Amino acid sequence: MAHYEITGGKRLEGVVTISGAKNAALAIIPAAILAGESCLLENLPAIEDVRMLEKILRRMGATVEFTPDGEMRLDPQGITDHRVTFDMVRSLRASYYLLGVLLGRYKPAEVALPGGCAIGQRPIDQHIKGFTAMGAEVEIKNGIVTAQAAGGVLKGAYIYLDVVSVGATINIMLAATLARG
């Protein structure tokens, strides 16, 4: 196994650039849709999941550009398609954040169940519990999650999850951002 051996008596110094965290980036990129206008996202990790989200957002109608510094400018104003197919999310586990964002911003959302997880299926029951508590009607059919805000409006609610779930908490908060109350 490779390792570093440091012999004392000499000062270590230098500069290390730390890229953004993958898990944060995969929630922040979809969250930018909620702004409804152009956003500049900095310090994103240069990973395939970020590029996959870029492709998905472009197919939905968003304008996505990368700066020479690796920043992403995302303008969601052109989004007209609120569907995310299995082909689009086949290897992206965090695709469920798109469900919360699309439900919160546009009210109808249709997103294929998440893919990309080598450790098994990622349940989204707690996500759905939160969406339902805010007044969404949610249905899963043939691997597609369809969510619609009843009467076109999500409403603030007290939500209690059955288990600890960071992903569900983030996703529910994304959907709730533009809710009434």
Side-chain angles (χ1 to χ4, degrees):
M1 180 163 98
H3 67 277
Y4 290 101
E5 186 173 318
I6 300 172
T7 306
K10 295 183 179 148
R11 181 182 172 116
L12 294 176
E13 56 183 275
V15 176
V16 177
T17 302
I18 307 297
S19 70
K22 176 191 94 149
N23 289 340
L26 297 182
I28 291 169
I29 294 169
I33 293 171
L34 294 167
E37 60 186 48
S38 184
C39 295
L40 181 65
L41 305 176
E42 301 173 328
N43 199 26
L44 296 174
I47 59 172
E48 184 62 25
D49 284 1
V50 169
R51 291 299 181 180
M52 291 178 76
L53 275 172
E54 171 199 7
K55 290 175 189 170
I56 291 167
L57 292 169
R58 283 179 195 260
R59 283 181 63 182
M60 294 170 63
T63 302
V64 184
E65 300 169 354
F66 281 92
T67 69
D69 296 334
E71 302 166 335
M72 177 192 280
R73 180 160 302 280
L74 168 60
D75 188 343
Q77 294 178 72
I79 291 178
T80 56
D81 190 353
H82 308 138
R83 293 174 294 125
V84 182
T85 66
F86 182 73
D87 288 340
M88 295 163 80
V89 299
R90 173 175 287 130
S91 59
L92 184 61
R93 177 188 62 80
S95 61
Y96 49 64
Y97 292 134
L98 291 165
L99 183 62
V101 167
L102 293 173
L103 178 62
R105 164 62 64 195
Y106 304 106
K107 305 314 178 248
E110 188 176 298
V111 178
L113 287 169
C117 190
I119 63 172
Q121 192 96 5
R122 293 287 179 147
I124 63 164
D125 58 323
Q126 298 303 299
H127 304 240
I128 292 170
K129 180 179 182 180
F131 299 154
T132 302
M134 290 186 287
E137 297 164 354
V138 183
E139 176 183 58
I140 301 176
K141 188 174 182 182
N142 299 323
I144 304 292
V145 183
T146 304
Q148 172 71 42
V153 178
L154 290 178
K155 296 178 183 158
Y158 289 100
I159 300 168
Y160 300 94
L161 301 180
D162 301 322
V163 296
V164 174
S165 174
V166 173
T169 302
I170 291 169
N171 210 6
I172 293 165
M173 289 171 58
L174 291 171
T177 300
L178 301 174
R180 286 190 192 156

